[in-house]
Structure formats: C-alpha cells, structure tokens
Amino acid sequence: MRKLSLAMAALTLIACSGHAIAQGPSLPPAAPAVPSDQNDKYIWLEGANDPKALDWVKAENAKSAKVLEADPRFAAYEADALKIAEDPNRLALPQLRGNEVYNLWRDKDHVHGILRKTTLKDYLAQTPTWTTVLDFDALGKAENVKWVSHGLTCLYPGDGLCLVSLSAGGEDADTLREFDLKTGKFVEGGFVLPHSKQNVSWVDKDTLLVSRDWGAGTMTQSGYAFVVKEWKRGTPLDSAKEIFRGQASDQVGSSGFTIHDAQGHSLTVIHRGVTFFTSEEFVRPRR
C-alpha cells in the first residue's frame, strides 16, 4: 500500500511537470434508481477481503505500476516522495486536548502510526519529547488485524475519554472502542461499537448518539446509516432507543452531534443528508 501511495505521488509530480447546503421543506427530484445486484456485473468487487477481488486489484495495480515505472523520471520522483514522507523533521500536526498536544505520527517504523502526546511548552520547543499513547501497528500485530486509525471522537469538556475509530485495512467501515487518554488504555467494560459504517457522538459521559447498520432496512441505497439511536452506558447496543429516522431514499444519511458553548450549555442536533447537496438540521428538544 505504501508503494502504491508513493507511485501515485510520483504520478502527480510527473503530471505537474509536462458543498453548498440548502434547507427547506421540499425535497429534490428522486435520484436515479440504483442498479440491483443482479444487474451489476462488478458486484463481486464489493468483497473487500475476497481473494478473487484482491487478486484482480493486484493485477490492475501491476499494470499501472508497469506504465509508471517505465517513465524515466519515476525512480527519482519516487525517491523524493519517500524522503518527504519519512522526513523526521516534517511538521507534527497538533491536536490540543486539555492541556496536552496530541499527534498521529507515521514513519518507516510505524507504518500505521502512533498516537503520541507532549506538553504545549514542549511542542513549541525545537525538539519536542513525545510519549506514545497508542501504537496502531503494535495493536494490529497483537490482534492480527491491519488496524488503521480513523481518528478520535472525544468527550467534551476535557477530552479524557475518547472513542478510537479502528478501520481494518483502511476500509470505510470501522470499529469503535472507548479509550482513556489519561491512562493510555482501552476502558474495561467501556463502549464498544462493532464493525459498521457508522457515526457516533457523545451526549455526556454515559450517553452516545449512534447511527449505524442496525439491520435490514436501516441503510440507504448508497450505503449510509439513516437511523439515529441513543445508547446508554452499561446497556446492550440492541437496546438503544431510536430518536430519529431519515429515509432509505436519502442519498447520504443521518447522524447526531452535540454542540457546546463556553458557559457549559449544550444542544443536540440531528443532521439528515437528503442529497449530496441538500440537508436538513433538527434541534432535539431538551428533556
């Protein structure tokens, strides 16, 4: 995968050398019907881990690589791209959580990355001293899964508790697990959301808003969740209470999130993606 990424970077260098949102009660015209699986001769490629699909991808990648590598400029551009990607002095993009700075860092020794932290004062120094919080390569090796980070969803305020989004091999669907940034460990008995295309947001320490594949009839034709549920800590996921339902014909999907202000007030909002260009927002009444 790294070689393919570098090949694409090199291709970009070779080439270089030679959503408005509308709201309203009316809906746009219905999107064209999605072809059924029976009429889609490429549906077998949907099996992301299917050996047949993987062999096809490898063969197509080999064809592309052959063309790219035949260009006399390719080797130099690939070497430059690798040097830039693995430069230990490149900017470590910061995420400020509480009083600490976090960064997801990848290099030749950490292909899938490490989540690390330092103090703000140390980050501003010439050579910061980093502490590893979560090693995704080590986690993947221990669990025999090529875990790729899809980011953190953290509880406000404080950002002490987070949901770590783990993607197997980089696919769209992910698995979420509750993680304590202070201890650097997954929370025993904490929130765990199994593999699915999903969106999750904290309401409070013991409550999540979840949109995911809840079973038959809960995903749009384009493959997004449109049913939002409220899930309480310590209860089974299948007992989560439905609070909003979009429509299967929506081109995107529905999700919930919580807005906070500096005075400690919060507001829960539901987003419904009717099309890729239009959406509706609903404010959930306070209880």
Side-chain angles (χ1 to χ4, degrees), residues 202-217:
W202 295 88
V203 177
D204 55 43
K205 182 175 180 292
D206 298 312
T207 313
L208 299 178
L209 293 179
V210 181
S211 55
R212 70 190 317 272
D213 186 351
W214 299 103

Side-chain angles (χ1 to χ4, degrees), residues 212-228:
R212 70 190 317 272
D213 186 351
W214 299 103
T218 62
M219 302 290 280
T220 66
Q221 291 179 336
S222 52
Y224 297 94
F226 66 90
V227 177
V228 183

Side-chain angles (χ1 to χ4, degrees), residues 40-48 50-57:
D40 187 351
K41 63 181 181 180
Y42 298 107
I43 192 64
W44 57 275
L45 287 171
E46 295 290 338
D50 185 289
K52 180 182 177 182
L54 291 175
D55 288 343
W56 182 88
V57 170

Side-chain angles (χ1 to χ4, degrees), residues 39-243:
N39 297 328
D40 187 351
K41 63 181 181 180
Y42 298 107
I43 192 64
W44 57 275
L45 287 171
E46 295 290 338
N49 297 310
D50 185 289
K52 180 182 177 182
L54 291 175
D55 288 343
W56 182 88
V57 170
K58 290 177 182 177
E60 294 301 309
N61 283 347
K63 292 179 184 178
S64 299
K66 184 177 181 180
V67 174
L68 292 172
E69 292 171 3
D71 190 293
R73 297 164 294 180
F74 179 85
Y77 284 150
E78 182 185 38
D80 287 345
L82 181 60
K83 183 178 179 180
I84 293 170
E86 295 184 344
D87 185 352
N89 297 314
R90 70 187 187 275
L91 178 64
L93 297 177
Q95 287 187 331
L96 187 61
R97 299 190 181 281
N99 297 318
E100 296 176 309
V101 175
Y102 287 79
N103 166 253
L104 179 65
W105 183 260
R106 293 186 176 93
D107 56 30
K108 62 183 180 65
D109 298 319
H110 306 95
V111 177
H112 292 119
I114 54 173
L115 178 66
R116 58 185 190 170
K117 70 177 182 179
T118 188
T119 64
L120 180 57
K121 179 180 179 180
D122 203 41
Y123 176 78
L124 297 175
Q126 185 68 29
T127 55
T129 300
W130 294 94
T131 300
T132 298
V133 178
L134 179 58
D135 186 327
F136 291 97
D137 293 277
L139 180 66
K141 184 177 181 180
E143 299 184 353
N144 197 30
V145 180
K146 292 183 179 179
W147 287 128
V148 175
S149 171
H150 270 189
L152 304 178
T153 301
C154 298
L155 175 66
Y156 180 89
D159 288 351
L161 294 177
C162 298
L163 296 170
V164 177
S165 178
L166 301 168
S167 166
E171 63 175 334
D172 288 344
D174 52 21
T175 299
L176 289 101
R177 302 178 187 171
E178 188 175 3
F179 188 84
D180 190 331
L181 290 181
K182 304 302 180 186
T183 64
K185 296 180 180 179
F186 288 103
V187 177
E188 186 175 353
F191 286 116
V192 175
L193 288 143
H195 177 271
S196 177
K197 285 185 179 180
Q198 53 194 327
N199 288 287
V200 183
S201 177
W202 295 88
V203 177
D204 55 43
K205 182 175 180 292
D206 298 312
T207 313
L208 299 178
L209 293 179
V210 181
S211 55
R212 70 190 317 272
D213 186 351
W214 299 103
T218 62
M219 302 290 280
T220 66
Q221 291 179 336
S222 52
Y224 297 94
F226 66 90
V227 177
V228 183
K229 296 188 179 184
E230 184 180 78
W231 186 27
K232 293 289 186 180
R233 183 183 296 278
T235 64
L237 181 57
D238 59 12
S239 70
K241 178 184 177 182
E242 181 176 324
I243 63 170

Side-chain angles (χ1 to χ4, degrees), residues 8-21:
M8 294 305 295
L11 178 60
T12 301
L13 289 171
I14 292 172
C16 290
S17 65
H19 89 102
I21 298 176

